[in-house]
Amino acid sequence: MTKHMNKVLLVFGTRPEAIKMCPLIKELEKHPGTFDVKVCVTGQHREMLDQVLNIFEVKPDYDLKIMKQGQDLYDVTVGVLAGMRDVLEDAKPDVVLVHGDTTTSTAAALAAFYKQIPVAHVEAGLRTHNIYSPWPEEMNRSITGRIATYHFAPTRLSKQNLLAENVSEENIFVTGNTVLDALHMVLGKMQREENMKTAVEARLVQEGLPASLLAAWDGNNRVNRRLVLITGHRRENFGDGFRSICYAIKSLAEKYPEVDFVYPVHLNPNVRKPVNEILQQADLANVYIISPLDYLPFVYLMSKSCLILTDSGGVQEEAPGLGKPVLVMRNTTERPEAVDAGTVKLVGVDEEKIKEEVSALLDNEDVYNSMAQAVNPYGDGKACHRIARMLSREAVVEQFI
Ligand code: UD1
Ligand code: UDP
C-alpha cells in the first residue's frame, strides 16, 4: 500500500457482513486522527442487519434502504449500484471497503470502480472454483476481487488463491477473519458481564425456549438433554433442497426425543415456507422454530450446542473455535480449512445422508470426539487491528505498535 488512506467508507448490507465489518468500524474509530470513517449500509437486509447494528452500536452515515420482500439478484444489484453513485459523490472516500461475497459488495465495488476509487476487499480470496456453488457468491467474490486493489485474505490458503489469479503479492495481506474479532468481543462481554448473560437468557426464553433447557444444554453431556442448532438459507438449496433438509430434521427429532432441535429461521420467504409447512406444522415437542436471533443469543446457543447443522459461511468459521462439530448442508465449501482440520464436514442436502451423519455424531462418542476439537484456522481475533494497520501503513504505523 503506497498511500495513507484517510477517508474510509465501509459499505455492507446483510447480517453476516455487518457482523464481520462492525468490529472493523470500531477499530478504525479508535484512531480519529488517522481515519475519517464513514459507514454506508445498503439495507439489502433490514431487520437482520439492524439487529447487528444495534448490538455493535453502529449508526450508519448513509442507508440506501433497498430491501424489498422477495427481491431478486437484479433488484439488489440495481438498487446498490444506483444508490452508491450519490453516496460516493457525497463522501468522496480515499478507499471503499467492502466485504466478502454478497451482491451488496460486488455492486458497491463496481460503483467505486466507476469513480476510480480504490476498493479494499475484506475476506478476499475464498474460492470453490465452481461458479454455481455457492451461487451467486462464488462469482460475486471473484468479481469483487478482480475490481479490488487491496485484498485482506483471512488465511494463507485464500492468499494462495489470489496469487494463482495473478493478484500482485504486495497488495495481499493475510489478516485472519474479522468474524473471530466479533466472536471474541461478544464472548468476552458475556463472560465479564453477568447481567449480559441474564439478558441473553431472558431473550431466548421470550423466543419460546424453556429456561430449564437453557440450563440443561451442555455440549455433548448425555446426562442432560442435548441441543442441535440449525441454520440454513442458501439460494442453491431453495425448493427440493430445503424440503429435504426439513424432512431430515423432522425424522431426526422423532428418532431422538431426548435431543432438542433449535432452528432460528432466516426471514427469506423461500426458507420460511418449507420450514413452516414441514417442521412447524409437525408440532414436535423437541423442535423449536424461532426468529433470527441477535448475535449474542446465537453465540450463546452455539456454545451450548452439541453440534451444528448449517449451510452458513460464517458459522463454519465460528463454530470450530468453540469446539463444535459442524455438518454443512452443501456440496462445496470455500472454507476448506476447518474441513481439513476435521471439525467441519460437508454432508449436502440429501435427507438420508443428513440423518446418517447427525445420527453418527449423536450415537457414537468416538465419532463425536474426533470432530469436537477446538481448532482455529480463521484467526486470533486481531484481524481488524491488522487491517487498520495496513490501511494507515505509511502515515502512522507507530500508533499501532
Ligand atoms: C444474502 C446474500 C448471501 C448471504 C445471506 C446472509 C446475496 C446474493 N446473498 O442472501 O450471500 O449469505 O444474505 O443471510 O447477496 N429478508 C427480510 N428481512 C431481512 C433479511 C431478509 O425480510 O432482514 C427477506 C426479504 O424477503 C428478502 C429476502 O429475505 O427479499 C432475501 O434477502 P437477500 O439478501 O436477497 O438474500 P439472502 O438469501 O438473505
Ligand atoms: N447468526 C445470528 N443469528 C442467527 C443465525 C446466525 O446472529 O439467528 C450469525 C452467525 O453467528 C454468523 C452469521 O450470522 O456470524 C451468519 O450469517 P448467515 O448464515 O446469514 O450468512 P453467511 O455467513 O452464510 O453468509
Side-chain angles (χ1 to χ4, degrees), residues 74-75 89 117 201 207 210 220 303 316-317 346 385 391:
Y74 301 90
D75 297 323
E89 268 163 27
I117 300 168
E201 287 172 346
E207 276 298 324
N220 198 38
S303 70
Q316 287 177 63
E317 294 155 341
L346 295 182
H385 175 75
L391 287 172

Side-chain angles (χ1 to χ4, degrees), residues 14-17 19-20 45 48 51-52 55 99 101-102 123 137 141 179 182-183 229-234 263-266 290-299 301-302 310-319 330 334-335:
T14 65
R15 168 174 67 190
E17 292 168 277
I19 290 171
K20 293 167 169 181
H45 283 177
M48 288 161 57
Q51 280 181 318
V52 185
I55 285 163
H99 184 278
D101 61 5
T102 66
E123 201 186 77
E137 288 83 2
R141 199 188 300 267
V179 80
L183 187 64
L229 183 61
I230 302 159
T231 80
H233 68 83
R234 296 246 79 86
Y263 186 170
V265 186
H266 192 290
I290 59 177
S291 308
L293 290 170
D294 288 350
Y295 190 48
L296 263 78
F298 187 75
V299 169
L301 284 188
M302 277 200 290
T310 187
D311 63 14
S312 159
V315 175
Q316 287 177 63
E317 294 155 341
E318 293 161 333
R330 293 169 51 178
E334 65 283 45
R335 296 171 168 90

Side-chain angles (χ1 to χ4, degrees), residues 114-162:
Y114 286 163
K115 293 211 176 284
Q116 298 192 8
I117 300 168
V119 170
H121 190 194
V122 183
E123 201 186 77
L126 285 67
R127 297 286 185 272
T128 61
H129 305 290
N130 175 346
I131 62 168
Y132 294 113
S133 179
W135 177 79
E137 288 83 2
E138 173 73 4
M139 184 54 86
N140 277 350
R141 199 188 300 267
S142 304
I143 295 171
T144 304
R146 187 70 187 84
I147 293 170
T149 305
Y150 307 113
H151 308 260
F152 297 117
T155 66
R156 276 194 284 277
L157 181 65
S158 36
K159 175 176 177 176
Q160 288 306 322
N161 289 334
L162 291 166

